[in-house]
Amino acid sequence: MEPVLIIACGALARELKAVIAANGWQHVQLHCLPADLHNRPDRIPEAVREQIRASRLRFARILVGYADCGTGGLLDRVLEEEGIERLPGAHCYEFYAGMAAFNALADAEPGSFYLTDFLVRHFERLVIRELGIERHPELASQYFGNYRRLVYLAQSEDAQLLEQARDAARRLDLEFHHQFTGYGDLEGAVVRFHRQPGRDARREQDSWQS
């Protein structure tokens, strides 16, 4: 089969590797950009563009494993220019929970701060240290003063991660809500992309239709 590349956020690496392995896709490669880009979403679009252009000649198809991820539509503009598809949704919380379930969570409590398995594992680095709370604990109330609860959208049933998520809620002085999502819409979106015709199949279709 023709080689396929998924350019993804590092926060999805574990789950995407599992999807690739579960489907036996030896022709699918995964290249992850640093998850830290989420703290600087304005840098995501050009980082993705750079990787697309560096990889295009070696792969029949490329999928971008990002949602909008706070880029305000700038990532979609880049992908339209490059002719590349991305995962659906505004952020990973939406495609893990599913759009309807996520909207219900947001409507029930707009002041919710969300964590996934990845963010629970890296909470200390990405939240406490990156936001400067480790050095200045008083910043926690400034960053999270308008939040009321922490919602842990869990991809795995892991007791240790669950306790870490509870501890994160305690540290931020937020109510705690846990919802198991599994991979949600992530696996379905990747499988649907994989089933699309590749470069050679498209050429055959265009030749037949002309």
Side-chain angles (χ1 to χ4, degrees):
M1 301 184 75
E2 291 185 309
V4 173
L5 175 67
I6 301 176
I7 300 170
C9 173
L12 304 181
R14 183 185 294 254
E15 289 75 22
L16 286 170
K17 286 178 181 177
V19 169
I20 292 168
N23 286 278
W25 293 337
Q26 296 184 3
H27 61 293
V28 177
Q29 294 187 33
L30 177 65
H31 179 89
C32 288
L33 299 177
D36 296 20
L37 285 171
H38 273 286
N39 289 334
R40 302 166 185 83
D42 58 302
R43 300 183 184 179
I44 291 174
E46 288 307 317
V48 170
R49 188 200 300 274
E50 182 178 336
Q51 192 58 50
I52 289 171
R53 292 185 173 181
S55 308
R56 193 188 294 277
L57 294 179
R58 295 183 288 118
F59 295 91
R61 287 183 296 144
I62 297 174
L63 171 68
V64 167
Y66 277 88
D68 178 74
C69 298
T71 68
L74 294 179
L75 178 59
D76 283 338
R77 187 180 304 171
V78 165
L79 298 184
E80 184 177 0
E81 292 170 359
E82 300 294 333
I84 299 294
E85 179 184 347
R86 70 164 171 86
L87 294 174
H91 37 64
C92 59
Y93 314 126
E94 185 176 299
F95 58 68
Y96 277 142
M99 183 180 296
F102 179 81
N103 287 340
L105 285 168
D107 289 343
E109 177 49 76
S112 294
F113 178 66
Y114 298 90
L115 294 179
T116 61
D117 281 9
F118 176 86
L119 290 172
V120 171
R121 290 189 184 95
H122 300 279
F123 178 80
E124 192 70 28
R125 176 172 65 86
L126 293 177
V127 178
I128 300 301
R129 293 206 294 271
E130 282 277 327
L131 296 181
I133 297 172
E134 181 182 49
R135 299 186 305 278
H136 303 284
E138 68 277 9
L139 289 176
S141 61
Q142 296 182 34
Y143 283 123
F144 298 98
N146 292 323
Y147 290 97
R148 294 179 57 85
R149 71 174 180 176
L150 183 150
V151 177
Y152 171 33
L153 302 174
Q155 285 68 69
S156 61
E157 296 180 293
D158 186 310
Q160 183 176 353
L161 286 180
L162 179 57
E163 185 52 39
Q164 288 177 234
R166 290 185 189 278
D167 183 62
R170 286 192 290 267
R171 294 178 71 179
L172 300 178
D173 195 25
L174 300 175
E175 297 174 10
F176 180 71
H177 178 80
H178 168 236
Q179 185 162 318
F180 176 74
T181 66
Y183 293 172
D185 292 339
L186 175 66
E187 181 168 13
V190 175
V191 169
R192 285 191 296 274
F193 170 81
H194 184 268
R195 288 174 178 166
Q196 293 172 5
R199 190 164 51 198
D200 288 347
R202 287 198 187 96
R203 280 200 294 263
E204 290 175 8
Q205 289 177 349
D206 291 345
S207 174
W208 178 78
Q209 291 170 356
S210 61

